[in-house]
Amino acid sequence: MKLKKGFVLREVCGERVVVGEGLETINFGKMISLNETAAVLWKKAAELGEFTTEQLAEALTAEYEVSPEQARKDVETLTAQWTEVGLIES
């Protein structure tokens, strides 16, 4: 998996949001807000380029006190949401 080109993480009024850069990615009807944990995972995914859910789960366990099983489950849920809204491509 990889993050779709044209989307970047920004901080807007103290909130972490994913925004599209370039006219082809703009959809003013939808803004993707990320909590602190999701923002950490977004940054890791951007750093890796191509990534797996296992790599993101490892990053999650390194950053927070969470079991590997719970981290994997949370990452799978999050990446499914990102895929559903078009932020991830295979």
Side-chain angles (χ1 to χ4, degrees):
M1 288 181 274
K2 63 182 178 180
L3 299 176
K4 193 175 276 188
K5 286 186 179 187
F7 291 98
V8 295
L9 179 65
R10 299 272 189 243
E11 188 163 325
V12 178
C13 298
E15 296 289 322
R16 290 162 297 280
V17 295
V18 173
V19 296
E21 292 186 331
L23 293 177
E24 66 279 356
T25 61
I26 294 176
N27 176 353
F28 291 106
K30 190 179 283 186
M31 181 185 289
I32 308 300
S33 179
L34 303 181
N35 65 23
E36 180 182 334
T37 305
V40 166
L41 294 175
W42 181 276
K43 290 175 187 176
K44 185 63 174 180
E47 174 188 310
L48 291 169
E50 298 228 3
F51 61 90
T52 64
T53 54
E54 191 60 39
Q55 288 172 306
L56 294 185
E58 289 172 8
L60 193 58
T61 59
E63 187 74 21
Y64 300 98
E65 287 188 29
V66 61
S67 71
E69 297 79 20
Q70 186 62 51
R72 189 171 30 263
K73 183 179 176 182
D74 292 347
V75 167
E76 287 172 356
T77 299
L78 182 64
T79 56
Q81 292 171 348
W82 287 353
T83 299
E84 186 178 318
V85 296
L87 298 177
I88 292 179
E89 56 191 14
S90 298

